[in-house]
Amino acid sequence: MTVTVWILIGLIAVLILYPLVTALLRVGVDLATGADRVQLTDLFAQSSLYLNTALLVVSAGVLALVVGSLLAWINERTDATFHTLGRVLPLAPLLVHPLASATGWVVLLDPRVGLINGWLRGGLAPLGIPLSTGPFNVYSFPVLIFVSTLQLVPFAFLIVSGALLRLDPSLEEASRVSRAGPLRTLLRVTLPAIGPSLSNAAVVTLILGIGLFTVPVIIGTGARIDVLSVHIYNLINAAFPPKTALALTFALMLMVIVQALLAVQRSSVRVGRSAAVGGRGFRAARLELGPWRIWARAFMLGYLCAAAILPLLGLFMVSLQPFWSPAIDWGQLSLANYRYVLLENRDTSQALVRSLILAGAGATLVMLIAAILMLHLYRAGGRARQFADILMAVPATIPATVLGVGLLIAFSRPPIKLYGSPVLLLLAYFIAALPFAARTAEAAASDVSAELAEASRVFRASQLRTLLRVQLPLALPGLAAGWVMVFVFMVAETTASALLSGTGNLVIGRILLDLWSNGSFPQMTALALLISLVDAACVVLVLRLTRRNFEVAVS
Amino acid sequence: VIAGASPGAAPAPAASGPANAPVAPAPVTAGIQPLLDGARKEGQVTVYSLADPSILARLQTAVQDGYGITLNFQRLVDAQLEQRFGAEADADNVQADVIMTGDPGFADQAVGKGWLAKIDSLPALASWPRDFWNGAYARVGVGTVGMAWNSNVVGASDAPKDWTDAVKPVFQGKLVMADPRTAAANMAWVYVMRQWFGDDFLKRIAAQNPVWTQSVVPGAQSLASGAAGLQIPAVHAVIVSLIGQGAPIKELTPDRTTGVETLAAVTTGAPHPSAARLLLNYILTPAGQALLNANGTSPLPNIPGTTSLPSQYVSPPIVEAAAQSDQLVSLLGLQ
């Protein structure tokens, strides 16, 4: 068993490091030989690229942290909570394909034909404010930040609400008993106690923000706001010959920035400062918000509307039309676009199926491997545990663009040619999902008491048998919740997919992007809605089958 | 700047063109039986093409119904097609059987690299004009470019009459244009505009603050929605199919214009070589020409549904435009 574990760890190490090292060597060679004419000056030719990226990532990251923490606090600590529903609600946007939510906002806020703009103009005109465009413009920096924030909130929420759930509320009660007001309690007790988690959430949102591609490619391109992730994609995809070496150099620079961020975080958070007293399962009195309760609830619902409901409704309107038009001609509405993407166009229907199969296979594979490692190592500890922990966390620090470029270069030339094969995408998804899979598997492993495994061993069951017959079944609910999240993530993956998916291995992210930039917008909206629907259906089904709800994933 | 309308600007044809007619199955013409047998064994054929997706969908139906072969297509603008196909050919991993591009510079380069199959004989080549075939690729059609506008956004009195009208104040913030860097023919159009109207014209276009799209297709869609008011250059075939769906679009092809000349070739190492040749053969027949060039211009005479070229049409100067692309792009305020 120990040998198996080490073999698994070794395989994962090779899988992660091979593309990165190959990419690094390639850049070194290109810089040294001047092939592809990469020069360091090319990296800094366009300073707006860095300013835009920094402005977007920092603003959206900070906003997401604030909104996500607020949602978590309302849910875990106040009487405005919707209880279980409240824990699912902030995650609902994850079910909406990120390209769908970005294009949904285009439909709503296009300066000329956006639906919301149209209604607002209709309302403003009688007030003596006649407008021919606006008042909002989707192709602007504020909206770019707004929609990016919506995408990042669930991740901040997950981390912060997890921390609040683990934090013994008796500390906060003690504060209240000593006559400290709610605000004072929040600032002096709650926030410091979950400080490490907050800083973790901040770093996670920043890293995700740096890798964010879908929103900038739709809204940023229209607004002519160039950011690094899209720039890298364009270097490879919109130029001939492709400037792969330059793209790679940019990508590696992103990684350096991310590593620097992590170093800062590590040095600023000293381990053991968190005041996580006690265990889980507290049912403390919730803070009564009084008149604020309704506002807190409105805030949660407002978030749900902005992140999922409104953009989906906008897309739905367009998907029934032959071409996108703000003036809805009821006689023209039909399901023709759905028929086309599902039945008539083989590419789209196959990509839909391929994405679901890949995500199903990928999620199963990554959860299985993470479960075997974590179940075995959780009690065993030792060097293997340390090594596995570090290794499986590494991909969280690799922006998806870097992963895509690295895999593209590493596996599209001899000795290993996987270009055009679904296996290449499976590898990308596997690597990208590894950190999350490891974390959920670890949480699931902690639910399995050591005594049961020991009992099994007392009865002379082999380690493998113990794992398969005792530990895995016990950890299954937790693992299933993790599986769901990984599955959803893989279906939605667009950044690496855009780089790695081609004729033989078209997946949904790539097709949506192609339909957006080259094809029919109503067809794209139909497909985006379908994939969100199928996604949601799969999730509900799996949760039904495992008779658990999202609470497991969150806690 | 040369102002004023050209007197004989071609009027936009009726919406119900052949682009919206039912698709006729590809006919089994003389001499293709051996190709057909081979192609049926292969079962499918993959095309990378810059053609309008609705035309590619019709091609798909014709080939499926006539030959029983599944056609997979990817609509890729020149730069994307070149990148994708180039990377695949380089890695010795060709996925496309047939490519159709608007960039003869790339096609010649591909010939030089041995990426395009040398074809000695195809049944349809017997009646194909020699000037339009060079042994590796055929020039299979011309689509002229013009101006298209949303009649709800642009009033009848403001309707443009020539290219130079695009810089009128009424179109400020309402222009939608395809980024010329993504397609060779779009760059050639910019080059031609500069030749005719000077640097100042391009600068004034930039001052109109146009919305740039990846290709003419999404631009036409935003025109249909009213998000944009005027598209230049607009491709007739794309506009016609939207008008057919009821979009409030009007268009005009100025007499003095250029276009997109589509090249088609079979790739070396095509995964489905017989099906690839069969498809190219079909494209060169009168039936294939009628489908591909519905509302365009065919090298073959008397093809129903096609039009003749405007009186002052110039072939797109692709190579010259590519040489000046940096200058052109910067005049348009894109860099």
mmCIF file of all heavy atoms in Angstrom, chain A residues 480-515:
data_model
loop_
_atom_site.group_PDB
_atom_site.id
_atom_site.type_symbol
_atom_site.label_atom_id
_atom_site.label_comp_id
_atom_site.label_asym_id
_atom_site.label_seq_id
_atom_site.Cartn_x
_atom_site.Cartn_y
_atom_site.Cartn_z
ATOM 1 N N ALA A 480 -18.463 12.594 -2.405
ATOM 2 C CA ALA A 480 -19.457 12.874 -3.449
ATOM 3 C C ALA A 480 -19.671 14.374 -3.589
ATOM 4 O O ALA A 480 -19.777 14.897 -4.708
ATOM 5 C CB ALA A 480 -20.779 12.180 -3.119
ATOM 6 N N ALA A 481 -19.728 15.068 -2.458
ATOM 7 C CA ALA A 481 -19.885 16.516 -2.526
ATOM 8 C C ALA A 481 -18.694 17.142 -3.253
ATOM 9 O O ALA A 481 -18.852 18.044 -4.076
ATOM 10 C CB ALA A 481 -20.025 17.091 -1.128
ATOM 11 N N GLY A 482 -17.503 16.631 -2.950
ATOM 12 C CA GLY A 482 -16.314 17.110 -3.652
ATOM 13 C C GLY A 482 -16.401 16.815 -5.138
ATOM 14 O O GLY A 482 -16.069 17.657 -5.976
ATOM 15 N N TRP A 483 -16.874 15.634 -5.461
ATOM 16 C CA TRP A 483 -17.005 15.214 -6.864
ATOM 17 C C TRP A 483 -17.895 16.206 -7.616
ATOM 18 O O TRP A 483 -17.572 16.632 -8.726
ATOM 19 C CB TRP A 483 -17.606 13.805 -6.927
ATOM 20 C CG TRP A 483 -17.653 13.204 -8.292
ATOM 21 C CD1 TRP A 483 -16.732 12.373 -8.849
ATOM 22 C CD2 TRP A 483 -18.680 13.389 -9.288
ATOM 23 N NE1 TRP A 483 -17.108 12.031 -10.123
ATOM 24 C CE2 TRP A 483 -18.295 12.643 -10.431
ATOM 25 C CE3 TRP A 483 -19.863 14.117 -9.340
ATOM 26 C CZ2 TRP A 483 -19.046 12.583 -11.590
ATOM 27 C CZ3 TRP A 483 -20.629 14.081 -10.508
ATOM 28 C CH2 TRP A 483 -20.221 13.315 -11.611
ATOM 29 N N VAL A 484 -18.992 16.569 -6.994
ATOM 30 C CA VAL A 484 -19.931 17.490 -7.636
ATOM 31 C C VAL A 484 -19.235 18.808 -7.982
ATOM 32 O O VAL A 484 -19.339 19.321 -9.099
ATOM 33 C CB VAL A 484 -21.151 17.744 -6.726
ATOM 34 C CG1 VAL A 484 -21.947 18.934 -7.219
ATOM 35 C CG2 VAL A 484 -22.025 16.516 -6.681
ATOM 36 N N MET A 485 -18.503 19.341 -7.006
ATOM 37 C CA MET A 485 -17.846 20.624 -7.233
ATOM 38 C C MET A 485 -16.801 20.513 -8.338
ATOM 39 O O MET A 485 -16.665 21.386 -9.189
ATOM 40 C CB MET A 485 -17.182 21.117 -5.942
ATOM 41 C CG MET A 485 -18.148 21.358 -4.806
ATOM 42 S SD MET A 485 -19.210 22.779 -5.107
ATOM 43 C CE MET A 485 -18.042 24.096 -4.885
ATOM 44 N N VAL A 486 -16.045 19.418 -8.333
ATOM 45 C CA VAL A 486 -15.017 19.225 -9.356
ATOM 46 C C VAL A 486 -15.666 19.073 -10.737
ATOM 47 O O VAL A 486 -15.206 19.651 -11.726
ATOM 48 C CB VAL A 486 -14.140 17.996 -9.026
ATOM 49 C CG1 VAL A 486 -13.216 17.672 -10.176
ATOM 50 C CG2 VAL A 486 -13.341 18.240 -7.758
ATOM 51 N N PHE A 487 -16.754 18.318 -10.778
ATOM 52 C CA PHE A 487 -17.470 18.108 -12.035
ATOM 53 C C PHE A 487 -17.921 19.451 -12.633
ATOM 54 O O PHE A 487 -17.681 19.745 -13.799
ATOM 55 C CB PHE A 487 -18.685 17.198 -11.770
ATOM 56 C CG PHE A 487 -19.582 16.997 -12.952
ATOM 57 C CD1 PHE A 487 -19.272 16.053 -13.916
ATOM 58 C CD2 PHE A 487 -20.738 17.751 -13.106
ATOM 59 C CE1 PHE A 487 -20.105 15.860 -15.012
ATOM 60 C CE2 PHE A 487 -21.572 17.570 -14.195
ATOM 61 C CZ PHE A 487 -21.250 16.621 -15.151
ATOM 62 N N VAL A 488 -18.534 20.257 -11.774
ATOM 63 C CA VAL A 488 -19.026 21.553 -12.232
ATOM 64 C C VAL A 488 -17.865 22.420 -12.726
ATOM 65 O O VAL A 488 -17.938 23.068 -13.778
ATOM 66 C CB VAL A 488 -19.789 22.257 -11.086
ATOM 67 C CG1 VAL A 488 -20.048 23.708 -11.425
ATOM 68 C CG2 VAL A 488 -21.085 21.534 -10.811
ATOM 69 N N PHE A 489 -16.790 22.401 -11.976
ATOM 70 C CA PHE A 489 -15.609 23.172 -12.360
ATOM 71 C C PHE A 489 -15.086 22.726 -13.732
ATOM 72 O O PHE A 489 -14.726 23.539 -14.582
ATOM 73 C CB PHE A 489 -14.522 23.004 -11.287
ATOM 74 C CG PHE A 489 -13.142 23.357 -11.749
ATOM 75 C CD1 PHE A 489 -12.737 24.685 -11.780
ATOM 76 C CD2 PHE A 489 -12.256 22.380 -12.169
ATOM 77 C CE1 PHE A 489 -11.467 25.024 -12.219
ATOM 78 C CE2 PHE A 489 -10.987 22.707 -12.615
ATOM 79 C CZ PHE A 489 -10.596 24.027 -12.634
ATOM 80 N N MET A 490 -15.066 21.410 -13.951
ATOM 81 C CA MET A 490 -14.503 20.900 -15.204
ATOM 82 C C MET A 490 -15.391 21.224 -16.402
ATOM 83 O O MET A 490 -14.902 21.519 -17.487
ATOM 84 C CB MET A 490 -14.274 19.392 -15.114
ATOM 85 C CG MET A 490 -13.091 19.028 -14.226
ATOM 86 S SD MET A 490 -12.822 17.254 -14.171
ATOM 87 C CE MET A 490 -11.312 17.161 -13.212
ATOM 88 N N VAL A 491 -16.699 21.162 -16.209
ATOM 89 C CA VAL A 491 -17.594 21.510 -17.314
ATOM 90 C C VAL A 491 -17.419 22.984 -17.688
ATOM 91 O O VAL A 491 -17.459 23.364 -18.851
ATOM 92 C CB VAL A 491 -19.074 21.231 -16.942
ATOM 93 C CG1 VAL A 491 -20.003 21.757 -18.018
ATOM 94 C CG2 VAL A 491 -19.301 19.744 -16.764
ATOM 95 N N ALA A 492 -17.192 23.802 -16.671
ATOM 96 C CA ALA A 492 -17.109 25.245 -16.905
ATOM 97 C C ALA A 492 -15.739 25.683 -17.400
ATOM 98 O O ALA A 492 -15.587 26.802 -17.893
ATOM 99 C CB ALA A 492 -17.456 25.993 -15.623
ATOM 100 N N GLU A 493 -14.730 24.826 -17.282
ATOM 101 C CA GLU A 493 -13.363 25.236 -17.595
ATOM 102 C C GLU A 493 -13.288 25.761 -19.037
ATOM 103 O O GLU A 493 -13.696 25.082 -19.974
ATOM 104 C CB GLU A 493 -12.417 24.049 -17.416
ATOM 105 C CG GLU A 493 -11.019 24.433 -16.958
ATOM 106 C CD GLU A 493 -10.222 25.218 -17.972
ATOM 107 O OE1 GLU A 493 -10.367 24.966 -19.180
ATOM 108 O OE2 GLU A 493 -9.444 26.093 -17.565
ATOM 109 N N THR A 494 -12.803 26.945 -19.207
ATOM 110 C CA THR A 494 -12.738 27.542 -20.537
ATOM 111 C C THR A 494 -11.328 27.986 -20.894
ATOM 112 O O THR A 494 -10.925 27.936 -22.045
ATOM 113 C CB THR A 494 -13.669 28.767 -20.620
ATOM 114 O OG1 THR A 494 -14.977 28.366 -20.241
ATOM 115 C CG2 THR A 494 -13.723 29.325 -22.030
ATOM 116 N N THR A 495 -10.570 28.393 -19.891
ATOM 117 C CA THR A 495 -9.278 29.006 -20.159
ATOM 118 C C THR A 495 -8.301 28.025 -20.796
ATOM 119 O O THR A 495 -7.813 28.246 -21.910
ATOM 120 C CB THR A 495 -8.682 29.559 -18.860
ATOM 121 O OG1 THR A 495 -9.731 30.211 -18.149
ATOM 122 C CG2 THR A 495 -7.571 30.513 -19.149
ATOM 123 N N ALA A 496 -8.034 26.920 -20.112
ATOM 124 C CA ALA A 496 -7.136 25.921 -20.683
ATOM 125 C C ALA A 496 -7.796 25.255 -21.889
ATOM 126 O O ALA A 496 -7.131 24.956 -22.885
ATOM 127 C CB ALA A 496 -6.759 24.880 -19.628
ATOM 128 N N SER A 497 -9.114 25.077 -21.819
ATOM 129 C CA SER A 497 -9.826 24.443 -22.934
ATOM 130 C C SER A 497 -9.667 25.237 -24.221
ATOM 131 O O SER A 497 -9.518 24.664 -25.291
ATOM 132 C CB SER A 497 -11.316 24.321 -22.616
ATOM 133 O OG SER A 497 -11.507 23.655 -21.409
ATOM 134 N N ALA A 498 -9.720 26.566 -24.089
ATOM 135 C CA ALA A 498 -9.618 27.403 -25.282
ATOM 136 C C ALA A 498 -8.293 27.162 -25.983
ATOM 137 O O ALA A 498 -8.193 27.263 -27.204
ATOM 138 C CB ALA A 498 -9.758 28.874 -24.907
ATOM 139 N N LEU A 499 -7.256 26.841 -25.210
ATOM 140 C CA LEU A 499 -5.944 26.624 -25.799
ATOM 141 C C LEU A 499 -5.756 25.187 -26.278
ATOM 142 O O LEU A 499 -5.055 24.935 -27.249
ATOM 143 C CB LEU A 499 -4.854 26.958 -24.780
ATOM 144 C CG LEU A 499 -4.753 28.444 -24.418
ATOM 145 C CD1 LEU A 499 -4.016 28.631 -23.101
ATOM 146 C CD2 LEU A 499 -4.054 29.206 -25.527
ATOM 147 N N LEU A 500 -6.376 24.244 -25.589
ATOM 148 C CA LEU A 500 -6.055 22.839 -25.838
ATOM 149 C C LEU A 500 -7.087 22.116 -26.691
ATOM 150 O O LEU A 500 -6.834 21.033 -27.198
ATOM 151 C CB LEU A 500 -5.927 22.093 -24.502
ATOM 152 C CG LEU A 500 -4.811 22.595 -23.584
ATOM 153 C CD1 LEU A 500 -4.872 21.892 -22.248
ATOM 154 C CD2 LEU A 500 -3.450 22.370 -24.234
ATOM 155 N N SER A 501 -8.273 22.710 -26.826
ATOM 156 C CA SER A 501 -9.329 22.011 -27.542
ATOM 157 C C SER A 501 -9.291 22.390 -29.016
ATOM 158 O O SER A 501 -9.189 23.556 -29.365
ATOM 159 C CB SER A 501 -10.673 22.388 -26.906
ATOM 160 O OG SER A 501 -11.735 22.088 -27.758
ATOM 161 N N GLY A 502 -9.348 21.379 -29.864
ATOM 162 C CA GLY A 502 -9.316 21.639 -31.310
ATOM 163 C C GLY A 502 -10.320 20.759 -32.011
ATOM 164 O O GLY A 502 -11.328 20.364 -31.422
ATOM 165 N N THR A 503 -10.025 20.411 -33.259
ATOM 166 C CA THR A 503 -11.002 19.686 -34.056
ATOM 167 C C THR A 503 -11.402 18.350 -33.447
ATOM 168 O O THR A 503 -12.569 18.026 -33.387
ATOM 169 C CB THR A 503 -10.432 19.432 -35.454
ATOM 170 O OG1 THR A 503 -9.850 20.642 -35.894
ATOM 171 C CG2 THR A 503 -11.510 19.003 -36.401
ATOM 172 N N GLY A 504 -10.412 17.574 -33.001
ATOM 173 C CA GLY A 504 -10.711 16.226 -32.537
ATOM 174 C C GLY A 504 -11.253 16.187 -31.123
ATOM 175 O O GLY A 504 -11.755 15.179 -30.667
ATOM 176 N N ASN A 505 -11.113 17.299 -30.394
ATOM 177 C CA ASN A 505 -11.505 17.260 -28.984
ATOM 178 C C ASN A 505 -12.230 18.535 -28.567
ATOM 179 O O ASN A 505 -11.925 19.123 -27.542
ATOM 180 C CB ASN A 505 -10.277 17.018 -28.093
ATOM 181 C CG ASN A 505 -9.211 18.081 -28.288
ATOM 182 O OD1 ASN A 505 -9.362 18.961 -29.136
ATOM 183 N ND2 ASN A 505 -8.165 18.040 -27.509
ATOM 184 N N LEU A 506 -13.177 18.941 -29.384
ATOM 185 C CA LEU A 506 -13.929 20.148 -29.054
ATOM 186 C C LEU A 506 -14.710 19.958 -27.761
ATOM 187 O O LEU A 506 -15.371 18.945 -27.586
ATOM 188 C CB LEU A 506 -14.912 20.471 -30.182
ATOM 189 C CG LEU A 506 -14.320 21.177 -31.398
ATOM 190 C CD1 LEU A 506 -15.334 21.219 -32.513
ATOM 191 C CD2 LEU A 506 -13.879 22.580 -31.036
ATOM 192 N N VAL A 507 -14.596 20.929 -26.884
ATOM 193 C CA VAL A 507 -15.406 20.905 -25.671
ATOM 194 C C VAL A 507 -16.235 22.180 -25.606
ATOM 195 O O VAL A 507 -16.032 23.110 -26.388
ATOM 196 C CB VAL A 507 -14.549 20.753 -24.398
ATOM 197 C CG1 VAL A 507 -13.962 19.370 -24.297
ATOM 198 C CG2 VAL A 507 -13.475 21.818 -24.349
ATOM 199 N N ILE A 508 -17.132 22.197 -24.642
ATOM 200 C CA ILE A 508 -18.145 23.227 -24.621
ATOM 201 C C ILE A 508 -17.561 24.640 -24.494
ATOM 202 O O ILE A 508 -18.002 25.574 -25.167
ATOM 203 C CB ILE A 508 -19.172 22.914 -23.499
ATOM 204 C CG1 ILE A 508 -20.555 23.195 -24.007
ATOM 205 C CG2 ILE A 508 -18.926 23.658 -22.253
ATOM 206 C CD1 ILE A 508 -21.043 22.242 -25.020
ATOM 207 N N GLY A 509 -16.535 24.795 -23.666
ATOM 208 C CA GLY A 509 -15.952 26.121 -23.468
ATOM 209 C C GLY A 509 -15.435 26.682 -24.784
ATOM 210 O O GLY A 509 -15.665 27.844 -25.132
ATOM 211 N N ARG A 510 -14.747 25.846 -25.521
ATOM 212 C CA ARG A 510 -14.170 26.269 -26.794
ATOM 213 C C ARG A 510 -15.265 26.620 -27.818
ATOM 214 O O ARG A 510 -15.187 27.617 -28.525
ATOM 215 C CB ARG A 510 -13.293 25.130 -27.331
ATOM 216 C CG ARG A 510 -12.810 25.315 -28.735
ATOM 217 C CD ARG A 510 -11.512 26.053 -28.733
ATOM 218 N NE ARG A 510 -11.357 26.852 -29.926
ATOM 219 C CZ ARG A 510 -10.204 27.380 -30.292
ATOM 220 N NH1 ARG A 510 -9.144 27.219 -29.555
ATOM 221 N NH2 ARG A 510 -10.115 28.103 -31.365
ATOM 222 N N ILE A 511 -16.265 25.771 -27.898
ATOM 223 C CA ILE A 511 -17.360 25.992 -28.854
ATOM 224 C C ILE A 511 -18.079 27.302 -28.548
ATOM 225 O O ILE A 511 -18.387 28.088 -29.441
ATOM 226 C CB ILE A 511 -18.380 24.835 -28.787
ATOM 227 C CG1 ILE A 511 -17.763 23.568 -29.332
ATOM 228 C CG2 ILE A 511 -19.664 25.196 -29.495
ATOM 229 C CD1 ILE A 511 -18.255 23.161 -30.688
ATOM 230 N N LEU A 512 -18.340 27.544 -27.259
ATOM 231 C CA LEU A 512 -19.029 28.776 -26.881
ATOM 232 C C LEU A 512 -18.204 29.983 -27.308
ATOM 233 O O LEU A 512 -18.719 30.959 -27.844
ATOM 234 C CB LEU A 512 -19.259 28.818 -25.370
ATOM 235 C CG LEU A 512 -20.354 27.897 -24.833
ATOM 236 C CD1 LEU A 512 -20.391 27.957 -23.316
ATOM 237 C CD2 LEU A 512 -21.707 28.288 -25.400
ATOM 238 N N LEU A 513 -16.901 29.878 -27.087
ATOM 239 C CA LEU A 513 -16.017 30.977 -27.446
ATOM 240 C C LEU A 513 -16.019 31.200 -28.961
ATOM 241 O O LEU A 513 -16.091 32.331 -29.444
ATOM 242 C CB LEU A 513 -14.609 30.624 -26.969
ATOM 243 C CG LEU A 513 -13.676 31.755 -26.635
ATOM 244 C CD1 LEU A 513 -14.303 32.666 -25.592
ATOM 245 C CD2 LEU A 513 -12.373 31.197 -26.106
ATOM 246 N N ASP A 514 -15.974 30.096 -29.721
ATOM 247 C CA ASP A 514 -15.992 30.203 -31.181
ATOM 248 C C ASP A 514 -17.309 30.798 -31.673
ATOM 249 O O ASP A 514 -17.323 31.630 -32.573
ATOM 250 C CB ASP A 514 -15.782 28.823 -31.834
ATOM 251 C CG ASP A 514 -14.325 28.413 -31.820
ATOM 252 O OD1 ASP A 514 -13.488 29.265 -31.447
ATOM 253 O OD2 ASP A 514 -14.019 27.265 -32.168
ATOM 254 N N LEU A 515 -18.404 30.351 -31.072
ATOM 255 C CA LEU A 515 -19.698 30.886 -31.497
ATOM 256 C C LEU A 515 -19.793 32.373 -31.176
ATOM 257 O O LEU A 515 -20.373 33.150 -31.922
ATOM 258 C CB LEU A 515 -20.851 30.140 -30.813
ATOM 259 C CG LEU A 515 -21.226 28.779 -31.392
ATOM 260 C CD1 LEU A 515 -22.306 28.121 -30.556
ATOM 261 C CD2 LEU A 515 -21.693 28.908 -32.838
#
